[in-house]
Amino acid sequence: VRAGIEEFGLENTFFFNYDWRKDPLVHADRLNDFIQMVKEQGDYDRIALAAFSMGGTVTCSYLYKYGSDDLDTIILCSTAFQGTSCVGSLFSADFDLSLSSLWHRLALLTRDDTWENVVDYLNVVLEEAGVNNFLETFANGITDNLKGRIYEELLIPVFGHMPGLWALVPDMNYNSAKACMLNGTESEKLVARIDEYHYNVQNKAEKLLNDAMDNGTTVYVLAQYNWPSLPISDYVSERNTDNLIDVEYASGGAYSALLGETLGEDYVQKVPSEHNYISPDNMIDASTCMLPEQTWFFRGMGHVDYPYGESTDFIMYLARSEKQITVFDNENYPQFLTYDYDNAKLMPLTEETVAPTTTDTIFDILEKITHALASITKTVFESLI
């Protein structure tokens, strides 16, 4: 908002909020009323719309109901317009605590290299000592025994009837989630509402966005990656996310390696093209995106975390575009970017910026010593047995 005010003026910058629990199709009606008010107040023909997080579900619902005649630009910033695996897994009764993933998530949240190393090293120690496994087994044993009550008495009555959360269930989980969370005739009306969104908005998002572009609206998709998700299941913990939304879903279909892994040395991008859509760190294949030429990726930036300055400058650059910009148009803003929090710099992601350092830190050395001691202890113990 601050960047928008400085770029376009206070009188030309507007903020639309909504209740995340409610039906995004209802919010689309409110958004339309809001847009008409903005157009009338400012005497605008069309407006630029930047959507964040769940705002992607509202924006796509708006396109489904009202089209894009009033929109000059659409920017989807870290949005869940294709859902998120953490909600899909939770609504499908697939959850178990991953303590190692929780520690890693906490480490990244510090945004400080030293503290991140400290927390990650503690995680290694607890993992080698078996503490993580003991606590996970204990906690998951409790949740397994109480899973039925947790769903029947808490998750289903509190969250199962919120259309806003159903908009976050990915297609792969949708049917199993309905079987888990909804049953009986009392859910018929809700099922009809969430089905309309799922089958006409989420599943047709590519067509909605392409129709907008055909109508002269510029469309941009921004996604972040290389963060762990919520540690609620083994499947979710392995996903490559912005700490909440999977990069696959936020980008509209990018093929991604699992968190901490790469696509492999022999990997070839899935959709043949004259352009290379594989990230310099070999983690993302953007060729499978709905809009590969209009989709940007930020390595190491958290969910809707666009620090004021160079990262918001990029959003303003897209917002004021008079023609459709692609990932090939500006060398300062290639398809893959990284953000340096220490120096507040948004930089192109290159092989040099992701190359491993040749010098071990004290934490790397300690980690190697810990692994070695654990291995020796295990060997001695097994030999004694």
Side-chain angles (χ1 to χ4, degrees):
V1 174
R2 176 183 173 186
I5 291 172
E6 293 190 359
E7 181 70 28
F8 300 107
L10 179 63
E11 70 282 4
N12 298 314
T13 304
F14 301 85
F15 183 82
F16 177 77
N17 204 357
Y18 51 90
D19 186 337
W20 57 267
R21 299 169 297 179
K22 295 183 178 180
D23 191 343
L25 291 166
V26 173
H27 293 321
D29 297 330
R30 291 184 53 243
L31 178 59
N32 181 60
D33 293 340
F34 186 81
I35 289 173
Q36 300 312 315
M37 179 273 292
V38 168
K39 287 181 59 183
E40 181 179 354
Q41 179 174 320
D43 193 26
Y44 311 114
D45 292 327
R46 306 177 96 190
I47 69 166
L49 179 64
F52 295 82
S53 195
M54 289 183 72
T57 69
V58 179
T59 299
C60 289
S61 296
Y62 172 85
L63 293 175
Y64 161 62
K65 299 188 77 171
Y66 297 97
S68 63
D69 287 348
D70 293 325
L71 302 180
D72 181 71
T73 300
I74 297 170
I75 312 173
L76 301 180
C77 308
S78 309
T79 71
F81 75 110
Q82 293 295 285
T84 177
S85 64
C86 57
V87 176
S89 291
L90 189 63
F91 273 32
S92 302
D94 173 28
F95 75 92
D96 53 79
L97 176 66
S98 173
L99 200 59
S100 181
S101 296
L102 176 61
W103 279 109
H104 184 50
R105 182 181 175 88
L106 291 174
L108 288 171
L109 287 173
T110 65
R111 294 260 171 40
D112 181 280
D113 289 342
T114 300
W115 279 108
E116 183 178 329
N117 284 322
V118 169
V119 176
D120 275 337
Y121 175 64
L122 286 174
N123 186 21
V124 170
V125 172
L126 293 174
E127 190 73 24
E128 295 290 358
V131 175
N132 280 351
N133 183 62
F134 172 78
L135 293 176
E136 285 177 10
T137 302
F138 178 75
N140 290 324
I142 294 175
T143 56
D144 285 345
N145 290 330
L146 297 177
K147 184 176 288 188
R149 290 189 59 188
I150 291 172
Y151 274 83
E152 293 297 327
E153 299 178 21
L154 174 63
L155 295 180
I156 292 175
V158 175
F159 300 107
H161 294 78
M162 295 180 181
L165 285 183
W166 277 101
L168 303 183
V169 177
D171 187 57
M172 67 169 291
N173 300 110
Y174 190 61
N175 288 327
S176 61
K178 286 201 295 184
C180 174
M181 299 290 286
L182 303 175
N183 51 66
T185 57
E186 74 279 358
S187 298
E188 289 180 0
K189 184 177 180 180
L190 175 62
V191 169
R193 292 172 66 187
I194 64 177
D195 275 355
E196 181 179 7
Y197 173 84
H198 184 80
Y199 294 113
N200 293 294
V201 179
Q202 187 185 108
N203 281 13
K204 294 184 179 178
E206 183 173 6
K207 183 179 185 304
L208 294 172
L209 295 175
N210 275 298
D211 286 349
M213 294 172 64
D214 291 341
N215 195 33
T217 303
T218 57
V219 177
Y220 306 104
V221 180
L222 312 183
Q224 285 85 262
Y225 72 103
N226 205 37
W227 274 70
S229 183
L230 298 175
I232 63 171
S233 75
D234 290 338
Y235 173 77
V236 174
S237 296
E238 292 177 344
R239 304 283 286 176
N240 201 332
T241 78
D242 63 9
N243 82 26
L244 188 61
I245 300 175
D246 315 58
V247 65
E248 172 189 346
Y249 298 139
S251 64
Y255 183 75
S256 168
L258 296 178
L259 184 67
E261 299 182 10
T262 67
L263 298 172
E265 293 182 3
D266 300 325
Y267 180 83
V268 178
Q269 70 183 34
K270 288 186 174 295
V271 179
S273 170
E274 61 180 318
H275 298 297
N276 173 40
Y277 288 108
I278 300 176
S279 61
D281 55 17
N282 201 26
M283 290 184 178
I284 305 293
D285 177 359
S287 71
T288 56
C289 291
M290 295 177 184
L291 305 174
E293 293 190 4
Q294 291 84 34
T295 304
W296 281 261
F297 298 82
F298 299 79
R299 175 187 165 105
M301 188 182 289
H303 181 60
V304 297
D305 184 10
Y306 300 93
Y308 175 77
E310 291 191 9
S311 61
T312 51
D313 287 346
F314 174 59
I315 296 177
M316 294 304 108
Y317 160 71
L318 299 177
R320 63 175 179 263
S321 60
E322 296 182 0
K323 65 175 184 177
Q324 181 66 61
I325 295 171
T326 75
V327 296
F328 310 111
D329 290 340
N330 190 327
E331 63 180 10
N332 294 320
Y333 301 128
Q335 185 157 49
F336 299 99
L337 298 149
T338 185
Y339 189 79
D340 180 350
Y341 283 92
D342 291 334
N343 300 301
K345 294 289 185 182
L346 182 67
M347 304 175 295
L349 184 67
T350 65
E351 292 183 0
E352 288 73 24
T353 59
V354 298
T357 178
T358 57
T359 304
D360 284 341
T361 67
I362 183 63
F363 296 101
D364 294 323
I365 296 171
L366 286 172
E367 183 174 335
K368 290 177 180 178
I369 293 173
T370 301
H371 284 302
L373 289 174
S375 177
I376 293 171
T377 302
K378 181 180 179 181
T379 301
V380 170
F381 180 72
E382 289 176 348
S383 66
L384 291 175
I385 294 177

